[in-house]
C-alpha cells in the first residue's frame, strides 16, 4: 500500500551502504514501493550499472559519505 505517509530512512541502511559495495535491483513490475528511486535520491546516490527490460541495477552510495575506515564501518 502506497500513501503519502513520510517514512524515515533507517540509519543502519545508510551506514551499511557507506561501508561496502552496495547495489539495488529495482524491478518495475510492481507499484507498491516503500521508497522509489526518486525518493531514495534524497539519501543515496544511484548510478545505473545495468538495464534489463523489467528493471535496473543501481550502485548505491550515501549522499553524505562514510569513510570505509571509520569506526562506524568496523562496528558490525
Amino acid at each position: 500500500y502506497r500513501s503519502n505517509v513520510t517514512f524515515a530512512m533507517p540509519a543502519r541502511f545508510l551506514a551499511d551502504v557507506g561501508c561496502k559495495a552496495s547495489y539495488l535491483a529495482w524491478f518495475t513490475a510492481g507499484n507498491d514501493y516503500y521508497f522509489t528511486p526518486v525518493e531514495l535520491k534524497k539519501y543515496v546516490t544511484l548510478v545505473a550499472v545495468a538495464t534489463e527490460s523489467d528493471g535496473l541495477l543501481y550502485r548505491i552510495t550515501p549522499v553524505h559519505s562514510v569513510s570505509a575506515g571509520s569506526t562506524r564501518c568496523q562496528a558490525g
Side-chain angles (χ1 to χ4, degrees):
Y1 175 71
R2 187 79 177 139
S3 71
N4 60 0
V5 174
T6 302
F7 294 100
M9 177 60 62
R12 179 66 193 204
F13 170 77
L14 295 175
D16 285 348
V17 300
C19 294
K20 56 190 160 222
S22 300
Y23 296 86
L24 169 68
W26 184 262
F27 296 93
T28 55
N31 64 359
D32 44 348
Y33 308 122
Y34 186 65
F35 284 102
T36 66
V38 170
E39 291 168 322
L40 282 171
K41 287 182 179 182
K42 185 178 0 176
Y43 306 99
V44 295
T45 299
L46 301 171
V47 177
V49 295
T51 304
E52 297 295 328
S53 62
D54 61 346
L56 293 136
L57 179 65
Y58 293 102
R59 168 73 167 97
I60 58 176
T61 55
V63 171
H64 303 290
S65 70
V66 175
S67 169
S70 77
T71 55
R72 280 179 67 186
C73 294
Q74 297 166 359

